[in-house]
Amino acid sequence: MPKHLPTHLNPRSPLVLDTRELPRRPGVLRTVSRTVAAPADLGVELIGVPEGADLSLDLRLESVSEGVLVSGTVTGPIEGECGRCLRPITDSLTVTIQELYAYEHSTTDETTDEDEVGRLQGDLIDLEPALRDAVVLALPTNPVCREDCPGLCPECGVHWDELPAGHSHQQVDPRWAGLSQLTRQEE
């Protein structure tokens, strides 16, 4: 028996799946396709899914002996900024979800840790934690606008793409400044 009961799920929440119409016989399945608004903070520091953006869920709920296996894909837009040049990035992301949600009082309660497997609350499944894990793990931690992005000049902060070919910020050590004057005079 779990040590603490999770909060009660709202059956009207878009990321809560109702399994009442799914018989508890192994092998029975039902498909779910819906578009939901993305929850807040679905991403990493530089890139993520904007809050409220449309996420397309194409899921399959399958009855198995210990619970319900949810598998399928989630597709949605991502926005962020390049980790090299700070330009905005917009793209889309498709991730695969596969998560087992155990029935209450099933053998899974005795054979797994509390956080190891998802749990049904009555007939309801909270899909948000699995969705959050799948999306966040699929995002790059250091996104780039393109693979060959050269980034910014560390001295002036201008994009390398916008600078002339010979651009440099040659710094002369003040101790050698006198010698550099001699080489200029010879030229």
Side-chain angles (χ1 to χ4, degrees), residues 18-32 58-64 67-71 103:
D18 191 343
T19 64
R20 278 183 288 185
E21 295 177 12
L22 183 68
R24 291 190 173 194
R25 284 190 324 264
V28 177
L29 65 95
R30 181 180 87 152
T31 59
V32 174
D58 290 313
L59 304 173
R60 187 176 134 156
L61 282 61
E62 183 176 357
S63 238
V64 294
V68 177
L69 179 65
V70 177
S71 56
Y103 295 130

Side-chain angles (χ1 to χ4, degrees), residues 5-187:
L5 292 174
T7 59
H8 291 289
L9 296 177
N10 178 359
R12 292 187 177 133
S13 174
L15 290 174
V16 172
L17 304 174
D18 191 343
T19 64
R20 278 183 288 185
E21 295 177 12
L22 183 68
R24 291 190 173 194
R25 284 190 324 264
V28 177
L29 65 95
R30 181 180 87 152
T31 59
V32 174
S33 293
R34 65 171 75 158
T35 300
V36 300
D41 300 322
L42 186 57
V44 293
E45 188 174 344
L46 291 177
I47 195 163
V49 177
E51 182 176 356
D54 286 344
L55 293 176
S56 297
L57 306 176
D58 290 313
L59 304 173
R60 187 176 134 156
L61 282 61
E62 183 176 357
S63 238
V64 294
S65 60
E66 290 298 313
V68 177
L69 179 65
V70 177
S71 56
T73 59
V74 176
T75 304
I78 55 174
E79 294 179 359
E81 61 184 18
C82 178
R84 293 182 190 160
C85 71
L86 305 178
R87 286 187 173 129
I89 296 174
T90 55
D91 203 355
S92 64
L93 178 73
T94 299
V95 295
T96 302
I97 288 182
Q98 186 167 23
E99 186 81 20
L100 173 66
Y101 292 89
Y103 295 130
E104 292 180 68
H105 310 297
S106 68
T107 314
T108 308
D109 281 343
E110 299 165 12
T111 60
T112 61
D113 291 334
E114 187 175 342
D115 296 334
E116 194 174 345
V117 174
R119 310 281 179 198
L120 271 90
Q121 291 184 30
D123 291 320
L124 302 177
I125 292 174
D126 184 7
L127 190 62
E128 185 174 343
L131 177 133
R132 188 171 294 282
D133 289 348
V135 170
V136 171
L137 289 173
L139 293 171
T141 55
N142 191 18
V144 290
C145 57
R146 64 179 206 266
E147 287 301 316
D148 64 342
C149 175
L152 304 173
C153 172
E155 297 296 323
C156 63
V158 176
H159 293 99
W160 278 111
D161 290 341
E162 299 169 4
L163 294 170
H167 176 77
S168 73
H169 297 275
Q170 188 174 2
Q171 298 283 331
V172 177
D173 188 327
R175 296 172 291 179
W176 299 99
L179 290 175
S180 66
Q181 296 295 332
L182 290 174
T183 58
R184 285 188 200 147
Q185 289 175 358
E186 289 178 10
E187 293 173 0

